[in-house]
Amino acid sequence: MKKLLFLLLPLSIFAAKPDRAQVLQHMHAAKSYFQSVWPDVTKVIVSPDKTRPSNIWTRAVFYEGLIELYKLDPRASDLKYMEDWGEFHRWSLRNGLKTRNADDQACGQVYLDLFDLKADSARIKPIKENIDNMVATEKANDWSWIDCLQMSMPVYTRLGVRFKEDKYFTKMHDLYADTKAKLYNPQEHLWWRDKDFIPPYKEPNGTNCYWSRGNGWVFAALARTLDLMPANAPHRAEYVKDFQDLAAALLPLQRKDGFYNVSLTDESNFGGPELTGTSLFVYGMAWGIRSGLLPASKYQRSVDKGWKAIDSCVQPNGFLAYVQGTGKEPKDGQPVTKSSVPNFEDFGAGCYLLAGSEMLKSK
């Protein structure tokens, strides 16, 4: 009988866990590579179409990953890198305190986490004033693309927790519900990136178009929201269900090599390895297992495969391979190859660091 029970146990239980020292080494390598390319935190980001300040969403995602690494393996140089960035921008947002653009608000997640390390009111006042402006209005249709959930939901969550005020959770849900009503497919439990991809739009193979990184943003947003929300916070149960449903929908879409295609349901549409979407799925699933919302017996093997895939993207100098550049659909930023350099190098590293942080916490 004991032998039979042993044979019935899921194989994932016996999968070798990633070595903690190697995970840290690779995370620091990816971080250090980016910092070597961008040693000046004040430097503007110049791309073919325009020049942007360094507190835009792409850079904010890098810092989201960096501060998670710092919490696990604190280094004074990393803290200085983050604090210098916030201080240069006076802890404010691109487009000012009146902006309603979630991409502008993403930096607030890091400002608020840095506030936890040093309770300097300068670090929290601008982002609080900005979100308070949003809370004071009835308008709730600002999040017209699903990336917004990752950029802004964790900001509302942090403010709701810090000030113990449900008004932040209520407004966050108003915004979330509007996006969900328009861009969520309750039958397939996946999200269209924006209105341009709602049927009749189809992928070349006839399936609905679900962009990997877009669904990754939703998955990460729900994880980062639920991670901090009190058990009795408004609408928590809905977020839990949506997180679990999305996880279940993602599970059969993973490639044999551990990656996810940029088009989740059509491997023929620019199929191939891609780091960012896969990293966000690893991050979310690993967090879900650690938090008790996802059973390890069902999801751990997927997490381990996904981590092995994205960890193989770390080159000897810390450069990350297979990062799709900014965009909104599978064709953007192509070709995505081992040596291709995305138009922004920061958010890919942030996604990888988020995934790595959860791999370390699950040890």
Side-chain angles (χ1 to χ4, degrees), residues 172-234:
M172 178 176 70
H173 184 262
D174 290 344
L175 292 155
Y176 177 83
D178 181 79
T179 306
K180 180 179 175 181
K182 296 172 180 175
L183 300 177
Y184 179 62
N185 185 336
Q187 283 73 49
E188 296 185 280
H189 301 303
L190 294 167
W191 297 68
W192 293 290
R193 197 271 179 178
D194 58 51
K195 63 180 179 59
D196 293 341
F197 302 97
I198 296 173
Y201 187 96
K202 295 290 183 180
E203 288 289 76
N205 70 350
T207 62
N208 286 323
C209 179
Y210 301 117
W211 183 41
S212 175
R213 189 163 67 235
N215 280 267
W217 291 137
V218 176
F219 204 42
L222 291 169
R224 290 173 67 76
T225 293
L226 291 167
D227 189 48
L228 293 178
M229 282 187 90
N232 62 347

Side-chain angles (χ1 to χ4, degrees), residues 7-71:
L7 292 174
L8 290 175
L9 288 173
L11 293 177
S12 59
I13 291 178
F14 306 105
K17 290 285 186 181
D19 178 73
R20 178 182 176 85
Q22 182 176 322
V23 174
L24 273 175
Q25 178 186 356
H26 284 191
M27 290 175 73
H28 281 296
K31 168 214 72 177
S32 296
Y33 174 82
F34 174 78
Q35 290 176 335
S36 70
V37 177
W38 292 89
D40 182 359
V41 298
T42 73
K43 186 177 180 181
V44 296
I45 303 169
V46 180
S47 58
D49 59 333
K50 64 188 298 186
T51 297
R52 299 170 175 86
S54 68
N55 60 348
I56 60 171
W57 73 267
T58 65
R59 192 59 49 87
V61 172
F62 170 76
Y63 284 105
E64 288 171 35
L66 181 59
I67 198 165
E68 292 304 321
L69 172 59
Y70 177 80
K71 292 173 186 176

Side-chain angles (χ1 to χ4, degrees), residues 75-115:
R75 298 188 180 185
S77 58
D78 288 337
L79 179 59
K80 184 178 187 302
Y81 193 80
M82 292 186 285
E83 290 182 328
D84 286 351
W85 172 70
E87 288 171 1
F88 171 76
H89 291 291
R90 298 183 178 179
W91 309 97
S92 195
L93 295 69
R94 179 188 68 163
N95 296 319
L97 297 178
K98 299 295 185 181
T99 183
R100 299 182 67 94
N101 189 327
D103 286 350
D104 294 342
Q105 296 164 342
C107 59
Q109 298 183 47
V110 186
Y111 296 164
L112 290 165
D113 284 356
L114 288 170
F115 174 80

Side-chain angles (χ1 to χ4, degrees), residues 278-298:
T278 304
S279 292
L280 295 169
F281 298 145
V282 169
Y283 170 67
M285 287 186 187
W287 176 85
I289 293 169
R290 182 170 65 85
S291 67
L293 295 183
L294 299 177
S297 59
K298 183 176 181 179

